[in-house]
Amino acid sequence: MREIKASEITDVVERLCIKANEELPEDIKGAIRRCRACEDWETAQGVLDKIIENFEIAGEEHVPICQDTGMACVFLEIGQDVHIVDGDLREAVDEGVRRGYDKGYLRKSVVKDPVRRGNTGDNTPAMLYTEIVPGEQIKVTVGPKGFGSENMSAIRMFKPSAGIEGIKSFILETVEAAGSNPCPPMVVGVGIGGTFDKCALLAKKALMRNTEEPNPDPYYADLEKEMLEKINELGIGPQGFGGKTTALALNIETMPTHIAGMPCAVNINCHVTRHKTEVI
């Protein structure tokens, strides 16, 4: 049994909140640059040039890539041989978010109550997702999630008779309805299977996956490629001004489900698809 202090988790979450908001992942940067090279329309080229300039300035000057620094989505893969000591796990994570958003001069975007509102003032609580895995380490991933894109996400409880064509139509329908709202070019996370809640989590986890790593199942890898091509044929383009680049990537995650169902969730992210990971 390995002991890990709660304060260590706090320190890591604090650091990742800042880094994730300032440094775009290399796979996303590469995808944007490749799309810029393929665009032949002047307006789309100009928008992508500004996007590239923006993330380069953010990285060099250590400032947020976007003014919406998001809700802190924190994913913990906790080794079953770990014992967390000297503090409460939830409070350790929230304290890390609290410090990170304060020290990083990041916008506080969380309200106390979904209907009555009222800003919490420190961007807590974090959206905390935990998973018990083999080992004696804790893998911490922080993915700040802005709501211009989150609001465009959707879930549908299909019956199996809808088949793969029903899923394809739903993905396209969701992206087309989103239009320019999620600040395209977007990254699309798709979750298929599980239950109502699980497929939504799969879709969000899909956004954390490196966009240069296709689904390990060739069937779903082909589906990712097919749907990305179809999305880009919609012509929404960078920031909705038209062009070839509506999405940078589409990642699919799946899990077993009930014989009577085929849940599907689509979680949309903007071109600022932020996430950073450390292992304790």
Side-chain angles (χ1 to χ4, degrees):
M1 182 68 71
R2 179 188 174 205
E3 292 189 347
I4 294 178
K5 291 183 177 180
S7 60
E8 293 181 62
I9 298 171
T10 295
D11 291 342
V12 169
V13 171
E14 174 189 331
R15 184 161 56 247
L16 294 181
C17 282
I18 296 171
K19 290 178 68 175
N21 271 293
E22 295 178 353
E23 303 170 9
L24 204 58
E26 290 302 318
D27 62 308
I28 301 297
K29 290 180 183 178
I32 293 171
R33 290 191 172 107
R34 287 192 296 274
C35 288
R36 169 60 181 85
C38 293
E39 280 289 356
D40 50 19
W41 190 46
E42 186 177 352
T43 300
Q45 291 173 346
V47 171
L48 290 171
D49 284 340
K50 290 299 181 184
I51 287 173
I52 292 169
E53 180 184 9
N54 179 65
F55 71 64
E56 288 178 343
I57 291 172
E60 291 168 3
E61 299 189 7
H62 301 290
V63 294
I65 308 164
C66 177
Q67 53 82 25
D68 184 352
T69 51
M71 292 189 83
C73 296
V74 180
F75 299 83
L76 300 181
E77 293 183 16
I78 304 172
Q80 62 187 19
D81 296 321
V82 168
H83 180 210
I84 299 168
V85 298
D86 297 339
D88 173 80
L89 176 60
R90 156 58 74 178
E91 180 50 39
V93 170
D94 282 346
E95 181 61 21
V97 171
R98 191 175 291 117
R99 293 180 190 176
Y101 275 73
D102 180 55
K103 293 180 181 179
Y105 300 99
L106 307 175
R107 194 183 80 181
K108 286 75 173 178
S109 305
V110 177
V111 295
K112 299 174 185 177
D113 184 275
V115 177
R116 293 171 293 179
R117 319 303 280 177
N119 201 296
T120 63
D122 58 10
N123 220 59
T124 66
M127 298 296 103
L128 180 58
Y129 309 91
T130 59
E131 182 179 355
I132 303 299
V133 299
E136 56 178 19
Q137 298 177 321
I138 300 178
K139 182 179 179 181
V140 184
T141 298
V142 175
K145 190 67 170 71
F147 262 59
S149 58
E150 191 77 350
N151 284 338
M152 297 296 105
S153 303
I155 188 168
R156 187 166 294 175
M157 300 300 291
F158 284 107
K159 294 176 181 176
S161 59
I164 190 61
E165 292 305 319
I167 288 174
K168 290 179 182 180
S169 296
F170 174 54
I171 294 170
L172 283 176
E173 170 191 319
T174 303
V175 172
E176 189 165 22
S180 64
N181 290 298
C183 295
M186 62 190 82
V187 176
V188 182
V190 178
I192 307 171
T195 54
F196 180 86
D197 55 322
K198 278 289 188 177
C199 76
L201 180 56
L202 286 172
K204 190 165 294 298
K205 282 187 172 181
L207 295 173
M208 303 296 121
R209 196 176 88 215
N210 189 310
T211 57
E212 295 175 357
E213 298 175 2
N215 190 294
D217 184 329
Y219 176 84
Y220 289 109
D222 288 344
L223 183 60
E224 288 174 339
K225 183 178 179 181
E226 177 187 347
M227 295 312 300
L228 179 61
E229 291 174 355
K230 288 184 175 180
I231 286 170
N232 283 327
E233 288 171 0
L234 292 173
I236 296 169
Q239 298 299 298
F241 291 113
K244 297 179 179 178
T245 312
T246 296
L248 300 169
L250 182 143
N251 287 348
I252 297 172
E253 295 292 332
T254 68
M255 71 181 304
T257 190
H258 191 276
I259 56 172
M262 193 175 62
C264 182
V266 178
N267 197 194
I268 294 178
N269 214 342
C270 63
H271 64 273
V272 185
T273 298
R274 304 159 283 192
H275 48 85
K276 291 289 181 183
T277 299
E278 281 192 32
V279 176
I280 302 174

